Amino acid sequence: MGTGRLYAAVAAGAFRRHATYRIATAAGVFTNTVFGLILAYTFIALWDEKPHLGGYDQTQALTYVWLGQSLLMVVAVMGGGFEDELIERIRTGDIAIDLYRPADLQLWWLAQDVGRALFHLLGRGVFPLVFGAFLFELALPTDPLRWLAFLVAVVFGVLVSFSIRYLVALSAFWLMDGTGVVQLAWIVGIFCSGMTLPLNVFPGALGEVVRVLPWSSLIQAPVDVLLGTADPLGTYAFQGAWALALLAVGRLVQSAATRRVVVQGG
C-alpha cells in the first residue's frame, strides 16, 4: 500500500469508528443545540445594549453563535480527538511499537484526526446551524464560493488544532500523566478560540493578543471568512503559518521523544 493510500485508509477508519457512536453523536448534537440557544439569547440581550459590538450587527453575532456550535467538535476546542489515546499509549509504553512502525507518527495521528473532524463536520456540524437558521435570522451567504472559502479556513483550523493537541499529547513523554496539560489546553482553547465570545469583542491589548494566538484559527478565523469580515487569503496565510510552525515544533519534540525511548529501551 502506498503512503498516501495508507493515511487515507487511517482517516477512513477513524471516520467509520466515530460513526459507530450514534447515541453519543445524537447527545452531542442536542448539547450543542441547547448551548447554542443559551448563547443566542445571551447575545441578543448583549447586542440590544451594545449594537455593532465587535464590528458585528446582531444578525452576524447570531450567525457567529451557530457557526461556533457547528465547529466546536470539528476543531476539537475542548479535546475529544486523538490526544487521550496517544497519552495513554505513551504512559503504558505501547508508543514504542508505534515508533517502530513503517509509518510517520505525526502523519498517522493527523490522518486519524482528519477522519474524526470530517465525521463531526457532517454528523454534528450541520444540524445546529440548520436549527439556528430556522429559529433566527442569520447572515448566511448565498455565494457558494464564500462557503468554499469557509471550508478551506475550517481545514486550516483543523490543522492548527491538531498541531496544538499533538504537542499537548507529546508532553506525556516527560510528565507521564498529561491530564493537567490537557485540561490547561482546554481552558486556553475555550478562552482564546472565540468559542464563547468573539475575539473582536475583547478590549485593548487583550483583544490584540488573543487574535494573533493560534487558537483564533479554530473558530474566529473561519467564521469571519464566512461572514465576509476577513480577507480569505490573509486568513489562510495566518492559519497556515501557525500550522507549519506548530507542526515543525511537533516534529522536533517527536524526535526528542524518540531518542528518549531508544535510550530507555537500550
Side-chain angles (χ1 to χ4, degrees), residues 140-175:
L140 297 176
T142 57
D143 182 4
L145 292 180
R146 182 83 65 80
W147 283 99
L148 179 60
F150 165 71
L151 290 175
V152 173
V154 171
V155 171
F156 276 113
V158 170
L159 287 175
V160 174
S161 173
F162 166 81
S163 304
I164 295 171
R165 289 177 291 119
Y166 189 66
L167 287 170
V168 168
L170 291 183
S171 69
F173 275 106
W174 290 269
L175 301 178

Side-chain angles (χ1 to χ4, degrees), residues 173-198:
F173 275 106
W174 290 269
L175 301 178
M176 295 309 296
D177 183 2
T179 303
V181 181
V182 168
Q183 292 176 346
L184 178 62
W186 289 359
I187 295 171
V188 175
I190 291 170
F191 183 78
C192 296
S193 67
M195 171 184 159
T196 56
L197 196 65

Side-chain angles (χ1 to χ4, degrees), residues 186-225:
W186 289 359
I187 295 171
V188 175
I190 291 170
F191 183 78
C192 296
S193 67
M195 171 184 159
T196 56
L197 196 65
L199 301 182
N200 297 341
V201 174
F202 288 25
L206 176 61
E208 295 177 5
V209 169
V210 293
R211 285 193 292 271
V212 298
L213 293 176
W215 290 274
S216 66
S217 298
L218 275 57
I219 291 180
Q220 183 73 52
V223 172
D224 277 342
V225 167

